[in-house]
Amino acid sequence: MKLQKISEITATLPFTEFDFLQKYREGFKLSELGRIREQLPLKEMSEEIRRHMPRRNPQGNKPMFPPEGEIALMFLKPYTGLSDDGLVEMLNGSLYMQMFCGVLIDPANPIRNGKIVSAIRNRMAPYLDIKGMQKILYGKWSPYMADKDMFLTDATCYESHLRYPTDIKLLWECCGWMYALLKEKSRLMGERMPRTKYHDVDKARLVYAKQRKPRKSETVKLQRRLLHLLEKLLKEWDRLNKVTGGLILLNAGQNRRLMACRQVLDQQRRHFRREEVKHRIVSIDRPYIHPILRGKENKRVEFGAKVNCIQINGISFIEHHSFDAFNEGVRLNACIEYHKELTGLDAKRVGADSIYATNNNRRHCTENNITTCFVRKGPVPKDEQADVRTARRIIGNLRATVMEGSFGNQKEHYGLARIAARNRNSETLQLFFGIHMANAATLAARHIADKIRKKKTA
């Protein structure tokens, strides 16, 4: 047996001075991982996600990790920032990480299958209920949170691990994949490989790629040739299907890519004719990712999930997320409703960026006696109280420092700068656990700081 639950292990040595495992347990409680684990309701989260998953067949192999251990493993991924193989290797050699997951690995028989992490993630991802999970997390964290009638809100883009897309790169990826598929299936069905200009275009593309700064006319010329080649390859694929009577079988991944290639051809044709194209595909491997125009000076376009968050006392919660661009300014009312759903309290103070300061949002906040950090329209009334102006300034400073700083902390230290995933559900799951691992680490740091402060004052 590779793994054992720690709860199932009993002491076998008669002398307590040799119980090194007990010393590790005591040290784990004082470590950073131990303090973080205290902040995570792993049992409740595992029950919540199992409630949405289909019931397993009782026959078959026993799972390597207990349900709480699988959730803990998903939290360890952003904490370490390692690949799946690296995480398994570190898990084999770290008793603290094994205690975090509630298992004990036999050193003579370590886990050698690095794919176990992705298998757990892919099994769990389609059934992730973000709102339900966040309700459980808030129930655990609420006793340690203050100022729960105030929240901050802002949106950011968590980028996907993706090469910067250009029209030439995208079209060549489609052509290369279609040519390889056509060659494989033609040989399998005993058909002659159709004649194309693939190798000629490949030479022209290589010459173009070696140029430091190609001229616009050369880009247009190569783009036109790639469009013709992709159209030719798709027509030959349809002809091969017709000749073989539809006997060619493709797996789910190949079908998705084939559909993406057809969409790319249609979009790139319209783009070549200078027509407006919405929801442009930038990767045939992940066609759900679309460009998001952010308007930032150093990064005008980003590719990934756009997330609108609310933050209560420095703890972030996902209010809305999408892989398509959306205007977060119209979501302030939804943020106020979600804050009440989460906390059970009416919001009294709200901090938000200037994009949220629309007339409808201002009117809604005034009617509900909500203080905001929005810049007033018109002259300042003479009877406005000084404490109201001070509250607005403090809320605005919190939004600009704490809220923006939390985004940078999540991206730099918890694996959300460039999320490496192969499908939409898996990327959403990594996004969720990365954000809330940062929350748990923040609460653990607060907990130890409070203990130190109490010792000094005692």
Side-chain angles (χ1 to χ4, degrees):
M1 182 184 294
K2 290 184 177 180
L3 302 184
Q4 285 181 289
K5 293 183 182 179
I6 289 179
S7 59
E8 297 174 354
I9 300 172
T10 58
T12 56
L13 294 177
F15 304 104
T16 57
E17 57 265 30
F18 294 108
D19 190 4
F20 296 106
L21 186 59
Q22 180 61 29
K23 293 181 179 179
Y24 267 104
R25 288 196 186 104
E26 294 171 357
F28 174 71
K29 292 179 181 178
L30 301 176
S31 67
E32 184 183 25
L33 270 177
R35 295 196 302 268
I36 289 175
R37 197 180 194 281
E38 288 181 1
Q39 307 299 325
L40 298 174
L42 299 178
K43 183 178 180 180
E44 293 82 355
M45 294 180 73
S46 64
E47 290 174 354
E48 171 67 18
I49 203 163
R50 279 190 297 170
R51 190 170 62 85
H52 298 282
M53 296 174 69
R55 293 186 178 273
R56 294 183 183 176
N57 192 331
Q59 298 178 353
N61 295 330
K62 183 179 179 181
M64 275 192 171
F65 290 86
E68 298 88 348
E70 293 183 348
I71 299 291
L73 197 63
M74 295 300 102
F75 277 111
L76 271 183
K77 172 77 173 177
Y79 177 79
T80 59
L82 298 172
S83 64
D84 292 349
D85 290 329
L87 178 59
V88 169
E89 185 176 352
M90 182 168 283
L91 185 66
N92 284 329
S94 173
L95 269 176
Y96 281 1
M97 287 192 176
Q98 294 173 27
M99 291 178 180
F100 187 86
C101 296
V103 298
L104 190 63
I105 301 175
D106 184 1
N109 194 11
I111 301 175
R112 292 183 174 86
N113 182 15
K115 294 182 179 180
I116 186 173
V117 181
S118 61
I120 293 172
R121 183 169 55 240
N122 290 332
R123 186 177 72 249
M124 192 183 298
Y127 308 103
L128 177 67
D129 179 11
I130 291 179
K131 295 294 177 69
M133 288 288 217
Q134 291 186 155
K135 191 71 175 176
I136 294 172
L137 288 168
Y138 177 79
K140 174 71 173 179
W141 295 339
S142 60
Y144 312 104
M145 297 167 63
D147 298 326
K148 288 182 278 191
D149 62 345
M150 182 185 78
F151 73 88
L152 313 174
T153 182
D154 202 357
T156 188
C157 180
Y158 295 94
E159 287 194 271
S160 302
H161 188 74
L162 185 75
R163 58 100 180 96
Y164 189 83
T166 63
D167 297 331
I168 301 298
K169 290 179 184 177
L170 182 61
L171 285 169
W172 178 246
E173 283 182 4
C174 293
C175 292
W177 185 80
M178 281 301 308
Y179 182 81
L181 180 67
L182 195 61
K183 186 176 181 180
E184 176 191 352
K185 298 303 180 182
S186 296
R187 183 173 63 251
L188 186 65
M189 303 304 294
E191 295 289 331
R192 182 181 62 85
M193 179 66 185
R195 297 178 60 183
T196 62
K197 297 287 185 179
Y198 177 82
H199 295 290
D200 294 340
V201 175
D202 187 15
K203 292 178 183 178
R205 180 202 61 84
L206 188 59
V207 171
Y208 175 87
K210 290 181 178 179
Q211 296 183 20
R212 185 171 179 270
K213 192 175 181 180
R215 294 194 300 270
K216 185 178 179 181
S217 59
E218 294 174 342
T219 302
V220 172
K221 180 180 178 181
L222 181 57
Q223 192 174 353
R224 185 184 294 111
R225 293 188 69 181
L226 287 169
L227 284 170
H228 288 322
L229 176 61
L230 182 56
E231 183 180 7
K232 169 75 172 177
L233 291 170
L234 286 171
K235 285 183 178 178
E236 291 296 338
W237 172 257
D238 293 336
R239 183 194 64 79
L240 181 63
N241 256 331
K242 187 176 180 180
V243 168
T244 57
L247 296 177
I248 302 177
L249 299 178
L250 301 178
N251 58 37
Q254 290 174 328
N255 274 319
R256 284 195 299 268
R257 281 199 170 199
L258 182 60
M259 189 180 300
C261 288
R262 295 186 189 278
Q263 291 177 340
V264 166
L265 178 61
D266 178 62
Q267 290 181 353
Q268 289 295 325
R269 276 175 177 168
R270 288 186 285 144
H271 179 63
F272 190 76
R273 296 194 295 263
R274 301 294 186 270
E275 298 177 7
E276 183 182 2
V277 181
K278 293 183 179 180
H279 307 302
R280 287 178 60 186
I281 293 175
V282 295
S283 170
I284 59 171
D285 188 41
R286 286 172 285 174
Y288 58 89
I289 297 176
H290 304 133
I292 295 179
L293 299 176
R294 299 291 292 160
K296 302 294 178 66
E297 184 177 353
N298 60 340
K299 191 177 288 186
R300 294 180 57 193
V301 184
E302 293 175 302
F303 307 93
K306 186 175 181 181
V307 181
N308 190 48
C309 292
I310 66 171
Q311 191 177 88
I312 307 169
N313 193 219
I315 306 302
S316 299
F317 297 92
I318 300 172
E319 186 274 325
H320 178 71
H321 77 284
S322 174
F323 287 94
D324 296 325
F326 63 88
N327 180 15
E328 64 267 29
V330 301
R331 300 204 60 83
L332 186 61
N333 292 352
C335 291
I336 294 172
E337 292 174 1
Y338 182 58
H339 170 268
K340 185 172 183 179
E341 176 188 344
L342 197 63
T343 64
L345 301 173
D346 292 324
K348 299 299 181 184
R349 293 163 292 171
V350 173
D353 200 357
S354 58
I355 194 172
Y356 294 86
T358 63
N359 289 336
N360 290 334
N361 290 340
R362 289 173 183 269
R363 190 179 306 112
H364 181 80
C365 291
T366 303
E367 292 172 355
N368 291 276
N369 298 320
I370 299 174
T371 304
T372 67
C373 62
F374 300 152
V375 177
R376 292 189 64 93
K377 288 188 174 182
V380 179
K382 295 181 180 180
D383 58 346
E384 185 178 51
Q385 298 178 359
D387 56 348
V388 175
R389 292 196 298 270
T390 303
R392 285 179 175 168
R393 185 176 69 253
I394 293 173
I395 294 171
N397 290 338
L398 285 174
R399 189 214 63 80
T401 55
V402 179
M403 187 81 185
E404 296 289 349
S406 67
F407 291 151
N409 181 45
Q410 294 161 7
K411 293 177 182 180
E412 293 298 323
H413 303 290
Y414 295 97
L416 297 182
R418 293 174 67 84
I419 303 175
R422 297 303 297 271
N423 57 70
R424 183 196 299 262
N425 293 330
S426 179
E427 190 160 347
T428 303
L429 182 134
Q430 292 190 57
L431 175 65
F432 171 82
F433 281 101
I435 290 174
H436 290 295
M437 187 64 197
N439 290 337
T442 300
L443 287 167
R446 285 183 190 175
H447 186 64
I448 194 65
D450 290 341
K451 282 187 176 181
I452 294 173
R453 192 180 303 112
K454 288 177 181 178
K455 284 183 180 179
K456 288 182 177 179
T457 56

